[in-house]
Amino acid sequence: PLLVFTVYWPRNFMSRAGSAGSASQSCQAAALGSNPDRKELEALDRDIPRYVLKAAEGNERLALQRWAETLRWRCEIGDEDLFRRPNPNFFTIQKHYPTYLHLPDKRGRLTYWQRAGRLNPTGLLNEGMSPSLVRDDYVWQTLFAYDLWLKRDDRQEITIIVDMEGFSLSKITPTMLRIFSLSYSIIQKHFPDREHLVVVINAPEWWGAIWAFFKPLLPAKQQRKLRVSTSQKESFLTLQDILDRDSIPEEYGGSGVPLGSAPAEMMRRQYASNGTPKQ
């Protein structure tokens, strides 16, 4: 990234990791140190993922160092224990920044929809959702998508669709910027190159001004993955280009089920409500 943010992982997130974390495969792999033997990682089912090698441009030594850092981070947050318990903050945050896992794109990639136009930074703060708590929830969402729904398949990527309808400059508050910087930096550090494409639809006419503000925050590789559409007609054509019609919700001009009713999203909400289903 062109800008580097210092991220302090909050104690309250780590304190929720639970006692099982120390025996987890991530913790066992992390205990191998900063230069682990790949055969030992493989035995723990924690070998370097393809996306980390891709982010390191095939440099195995660099990828191994980066992956070792991620394993330590995963151990600290208790990645294998996070879903044992409910995540009530998920529903509070969804009221003020709705997101959805939805039907796959034409190439079978899971889609992740964000309704940025409904972002309400003031509402988040009024309900006690600090930028760090929102970041924690975003990490929970990310781990759910990749580790649970996609079953840690390191070949899988996600297509992100951001609906800007209703977005106004008044939403660009210090709180929103803090949320963005915390969430973006942690995701890029530990989940690099996992988004296939970022599609912005219903962007306001003044999109160019906001893009000029955010562009320096993104590396060139991320910038190349971005597609932006402004008018409703252009946005629909863009969606048709990447999604089958029956995967586009009716409210966006397709014939698919509404956001919130796809199997991945229903499973995500079950985990947020109840934690890991009892056997």
Side-chain angles (χ1 to χ4, degrees):
L2 297 180
L3 292 183
V4 178
F5 299 98
T6 301
V7 177
Y8 298 94
W9 200 252
R11 294 177 182 271
N12 60 334
F13 199 129
M14 290 189 286
S15 68
R16 297 198 296 268
S19 59
S22 60
S24 72
Q25 287 170 288
S26 291
C27 286
Q28 292 179 58
L32 296 175
S34 59
N35 188 31
D37 187 299
R38 288 193 64 177
K39 290 183 178 179
E40 293 184 87
L41 289 175
E42 187 175 353
L44 291 167
D45 193 26
R46 291 296 182 272
D47 195 12
I48 307 172
R50 289 178 176 87
Y51 60 87
V52 177
L53 282 166
K54 179 182 177 182
E57 300 181 341
N59 185 323
E60 183 176 324
R61 181 176 179 181
L62 179 61
L64 188 60
Q65 292 173 347
R66 188 167 186 173
W67 181 234
E69 291 181 15
T70 292
L71 287 170
R72 289 195 295 273
W73 171 78
R74 279 177 167 266
C75 179
E76 288 173 357
I77 68 169
D79 64 334
E80 296 170 47
D81 200 38
L82 285 180
F83 300 99
R84 298 180 190 274
R85 290 174 296 282
N87 177 21
N89 286 350
F90 171 83
F91 297 101
T92 303
I93 292 167
Q94 288 293 303
K95 289 190 298 182
H96 304 289
Y97 190 18
T99 63
Y100 308 89
L101 294 178
H102 201 57
L103 302 176
D105 65 16
K106 288 182 177 180
R107 302 300 293 270
R109 303 181 190 91
L110 181 68
T111 58
Y112 175 70
W113 294 61
Q114 300 181 12
R115 279 186 159 153
R118 299 187 183 183
L119 171 66
N120 181 4
T122 301
L124 288 169
L125 287 179
N126 288 343
E127 296 216 44
M129 296 293 103
S130 66
S132 292
L133 289 177
V134 177
R135 185 272 317 276
D136 291 353
D137 179 70
Y138 191 63
V139 169
W140 183 94
Q141 291 187 46
T142 302
L143 286 168
F144 175 87
Y146 291 126
D147 287 12
L148 291 188
W149 182 256
L150 295 177
K151 300 179 180 179
R152 298 183 62 249
D153 185 344
D154 61 1
R155 297 166 298 181
Q156 293 285 345
E157 297 177 329
I158 285 180
T159 294
I160 300 173
I161 301 171
V162 183
D163 183 3
M164 297 284 288
E165 184 176 4
F167 192 87
S168 63
L169 287 173
S170 64
K171 296 180 185 291
I172 306 177
T173 65
T175 296
M176 190 277 285
L177 293 175
R178 180 66 173 159
I179 289 171
F180 175 81
S181 67
L182 288 174
S183 302
Y184 178 79
S185 57
I186 206 74
I187 295 303
Q188 288 303 305
K189 182 177 179 62
H190 298 299
F191 301 92
D193 274 352
R194 298 225 68 180
E195 70 284 349
H196 169 69
L197 193 66
V198 178
V199 179
V200 178
I201 59 173
N202 299 317
E205 292 183 358
W206 44 263
W207 165 261
I210 190 173
W211 174 235
F213 179 84
F214 280 106
K215 186 176 181 179
L217 304 179
L218 303 175
K221 184 184 295 185
Q222 303 304 117
Q223 295 176 30
R224 290 193 294 269
K225 293 181 178 183
L226 182 68
R227 290 181 60 178
V228 181
S229 301
T230 52
S231 69
Q232 191 173 46
K233 180 179 180 180
E234 183 186 5
S235 296
F236 175 62
L237 292 175
T238 298
L239 290 176
Q240 275 194 312
D241 189 38
I242 62 172
L243 298 167
D244 291 324
R245 192 177 182 88
D246 58 5
S247 292
I248 302 173
E250 285 189 8
E251 64 180 299
Y252 290 93
S255 59
V257 299
L259 293 176
S261 56
E265 180 61 24
M266 295 176 69
M267 179 177 167
R268 185 171 75 150
R269 290 174 179 267
Q270 289 175 350
Y271 271 81
S273 293
N274 306 310
T276 305
K278 295 182 179 180
Q279 302 297 327

